[in-house]
Amino acid sequence: MQLYNTLTRRKEPLAPREPGHISMYVCGMTVYDYCHLGHARVMVAFDVISRYLRERGYNVTYVRNITDIDDKILKRAADNGESIEALTERMIAAMHEDEARLGVLPPDREPRATGHVDAIIAMIRVLIDKGYAYPAANGDVYYRVREFADYGKLNNRDPDDMRSGARVDVDDHKEDPLDFVLWKAAKPDEARWPSPWGDGRPGWHIECSAMSTGCLGNTFDIHGGGPDLTFPHHENEIAQSEAATGQTYVNTWMHAGAVRVDEEKMSKSLGNFFTIRDVLVEHDPEVVRYLLVASHYRSPINYSVDSLSEARRSLTRLYTALENIDPEPEPVSLSLAEPSSGHARRFAEAMDDDFNTPEALAVLFELTRELNRARANDTADVPRLAGELRALGGVLGLLSQSPATFLKGETALDEANIEAQIARRAEAKAARDFATADSIRDELAAQGIILKDSREGTRWVVQSSSG
RNA sequence: GGCUGGAUGGCAGAGUGGUGAUGCAGCGGACUGCAACUCCGUUAACGCCGGUUCGAUUCCGACUCCAGCCUCCA
């Protein structure tokens, strides 16, 4: 397998530290608000990655943290007049709900910053002892960036070129403007933990260093996150972790592409974000997931109503091929490490190449065509092909619902009435009263119900208003 | 200004040194009472200028434009 490594800026063969086992840490959410589509992209991207690695035979330990103490959380809780804990618990529950609806499997571990303050303090202490950090007079503790020779290696940045003051806050308490905070002294009435440097709370970057190495060891295989985390967050994680342990922190850095709206980056700070739950009011979660998987995980994608309806039409083609399979699709065991069929092999080749999901989807469509052909000819391959389509789709977290559910939607339609209309139309057709038959079909069409005649009778699907 | 990445047919989106991505849309045909679904066929692309090569969309260089990061952000 080949994985693109942000650190080296090229694809490299996957070489797990421990044969057959992959340790993966992904930066998760700061839980002060609902998740938006940018979060969805990261969750889905690494969900697909972990699913595929497992399908490929690796034993994966997937850790994704929750940042549950942070300036934005303090502010939001105060604005809402609720406790920090009430806010974060509410948002964590919402996040779990959102990801479940998107078909994202839970990570193996979900450590929270507030649950690892001891480990954070211990790491800061090591950094101070080694001369990489210093307590300041105001009670903060800072990381001494100039002390870490490799600083900037992830982003190809030279500290000497990062003109102090340009966009970095000049802070009297720092020795150097590039230094960043490891421990933040608590102001009166702020949430606090005791520490050797006074009451306070962890800085943002240090929690990931402490939790990732705590869960996975000083060196692990894959570290992932959103596109905007490469600097400074991940650069700082490297500085902290490698200074503290003296070992390589991460072998492969992986970053998802940005989600844009109207050609502008979607972000909380710009306020142009769509929350997952808002989008799911109008759209099937699997359509959203399809949209996210239809582009390579590193490419930027533009979110729009049009792109969603196109995703829906594409997914409809896959589900249509699986509709009313008789006999039932065969359960297929894929064994993607040594694929048996041509489709599985090409699917695996695509995914082996840095998780090329668009190419993998192309294989699903080719399989779909073959399945449709087999159905038209009534060949014995139908259950096997259908089972294979389902199984390969499942690796991407797609095709998980029944075709009828997807195609007919969750609408509160009176199915008995629809069937009665269809029966009435069948009678009219039998009597060659096509005017009546067509008017019945038109009436149903006006309600968004599309009829499809076949040898076995008439089936119907709902044409989504959103495409 | 610095650092990354990108520019592919009407749209979305992979990929490749010489032949078909794929999906949606279009066109022709089959199926159908007519449609829808499906199938068969088909149109159509590689930002710009140089270089390497028998041959470049693919490799190299310049240029133009776009995006992300450099500030909390997934």
Side-chain angles (χ1 to χ4, degrees):
Chain A
M1 288 188 71
Q2 300 272 317
L3 273 65
Y4 183 86
N5 187 352
T6 309
L7 179 66
T8 56
R9 288 179 295 284
R10 64 179 149 235
K11 289 182 194 171
E12 296 168 347
L14 173 63
R17 301 186 64 243
E18 203 182 302
H21 184 264
I22 306 272
S23 44
M24 178 163 87
Y25 182 92
V26 172
C27 288
M29 263 51 78
T30 300
V31 284
Y32 72 102
D33 204 347
Y34 294 114
C35 293
H36 59 57
L37 286 174
H39 299 115
R41 182 156 203 210
V42 172
M43 295 192 293
V44 168
F46 288 98
D47 182 54
V48 167
I49 287 167
S50 62
R51 281 175 189 252
Y52 181 70
L53 289 171
R54 287 188 172 123
E55 205 66 56
R56 195 73 167 55
Y58 290 102
N59 186 2
V60 178
T61 305
Y62 175 16
V63 180
R64 193 186 61 202
N65 75 297
I66 293 174
T67 299
D68 60 351
I69 183 66
D70 158 89
D71 288 357
K72 293 185 293 299
I73 293 172
L74 296 182
K75 181 172 188 309
R76 182 62 60 91
D79 289 351
N80 289 357
E82 65 184 327
S83 72
I84 290 169
E85 199 184 33
L87 172 67
T88 56
E89 288 301 331
R90 206 156 57 78
M91 289 306 151
I92 290 168
M95 172 181 83
H96 287 153
E97 202 177 288
D98 290 342
E99 63 178 337
R101 294 188 66 195
L102 288 172
V104 171
L105 301 172
D108 299 296
R109 295 185 65 181
E110 213 168 33
R112 302 182 186 188
T114 54
H116 294 77
V117 175
D118 289 349
I120 291 167
I121 289 172
M123 188 176 254
I124 295 173
R125 198 196 301 268
V126 170
L127 289 171
I128 292 174
D129 290 347
K130 289 190 171 185
Y132 288 104
Y134 57 94
N138 63 352
D140 289 355
V141 179
Y142 296 106
Y143 187 94
R144 191 174 274 134
V145 166
R146 296 281 177 177
E147 196 62 30
F148 186 67
D150 279 344
Y151 194 81
K153 69 177 175 181
L154 180 65
N155 292 272
N156 203 18
R157 241 169 247 199
D158 182 348
D160 290 333
D161 291 340
M162 297 165 68
R163 301 303 304 159
S164 59
R167 297 183 85 169
V168 180
D169 280 342
V170 179
D171 183 328
D172 292 342
H173 298 280
K174 291 182 183 177
E175 291 177 359
D176 185 295
L178 295 180
D179 293 351
F180 58 90
V181 69
L182 298 173
W183 186 260
K184 259 186 137 137
K187 298 194 184 89
D189 300 330
E190 275 185 352
R192 62 186 60 220
W193 285 260
S195 86
W197 318 286
D199 287 0
R201 61 181 183 276
W204 175 38
H205 313 299
I206 192 70
E207 69 172 68
C208 280
S209 284
M211 290 191 282
S212 59
T213 55
C215 292
L216 298 172
N218 289 164
T219 305
F220 52 94
D221 297 306
I222 295 173
H223 189 133
D228 38 19
L229 296 184
T230 54
F231 194 91
H233 185 55
H234 289 159
E235 195 69 57
N236 291 353
E237 276 190 57
I238 292 173
Q240 294 162 341
S241 305
E242 299 196 348
T245 69
Q247 293 171 266
T248 299
Y249 178 43
V250 167
N251 286 331
T252 306
W253 287 91
M254 300 183 74
H255 294 92
V259 175
R260 290 191 278 161
V261 177
D262 297 329
E263 307 304 332
E264 188 175 43
K265 184 190 165 184
M266 161 159 46
S267 73
K268 286 182 176 175
S269 50
L270 289 174
N272 64 341
F273 61 92
F274 287 81
T275 66
I276 295 172
R277 46 194 48 214
D278 281 348
V279 171
L280 294 189
V281 169
E282 295 281 339
H283 302 276
D284 186 302
E286 210 172 307
V287 169
V288 176
R289 185 171 175 112
Y290 182 96
L291 176 68
L292 297 175
V293 169
S295 297
H296 185 86
Y297 77 90
R298 281 190 282 117
S299 307
I301 57 175
N302 195 46
Y303 170 81
S304 69
V305 173
D306 284 351
S307 60
L308 269 178
S309 26
E310 192 181 319
R312 175 166 192 94
R313 282 193 293 269
S314 300
L315 194 52
T316 297
R317 177 169 165 80
L318 299 178
Y319 269 117
T320 301
L322 289 172
E323 198 187 7
N324 286 9
I325 295 281
D326 184 32
E328 286 292 299
E330 282 174 20
V332 169
S333 63
L334 288 168
S335 63
L336 288 178
E338 290 176 45
S340 44
S341 79
H343 298 294
R345 182 178 49 74
R346 284 192 297 129
F347 182 94
E349 279 169 5
M351 293 297 284
D352 275 1
D353 182 13
D354 195 31
F355 308 101
N356 191 336
T357 51
E359 187 82 38
L361 279 180
V363 175
L364 294 197
F365 282 105
E366 283 160 24
L367 179 53
T368 294
R369 188 189 308 280
E370 203 171 307
L371 171 59
N372 283 332
R373 224 179 289 153
R375 294 190 68 173
N377 298 329
D378 259 330
T379 70
D381 296 330
V382 170
R384 179 183 56 80
L385 291 171
E388 199 170 25
L389 178 56
R390 270 219 119 103
L392 290 175
V395 178
L396 302 177
L398 297 173
L399 304 180
S400 57
Q401 43 191 320
S402 87
T405 304
F406 180 82
L407 295 168
K408 294 179 180 173
E410 302 282 347
T411 46
L413 290 170
D414 183 348
E415 299 202 12
N417 180 48
I418 293 169
E419 295 297 339
Q421 300 283 75
I422 289 173
R424 210 155 63 77
R425 173 167 168 269
E427 282 170 31
K429 277 174 68 180
R432 302 196 65 78
D433 177 3
F434 295 121
T436 301
D438 287 352
S439 76
I440 293 169
R441 184 170 64 195
D442 291 346
E443 279 168 30
L444 288 171
Q447 302 167 48
I449 292 156
I450 307 300
L451 299 187
K452 304 196 286 189
D453 292 341
S454 73
R455 278 171 297 180
E456 294 81 31
T458 298
R459 288 175 286 143
W460 57 275
V461 299
V462 171
Q463 183 178 50
S464 165
S465 55
S466 55

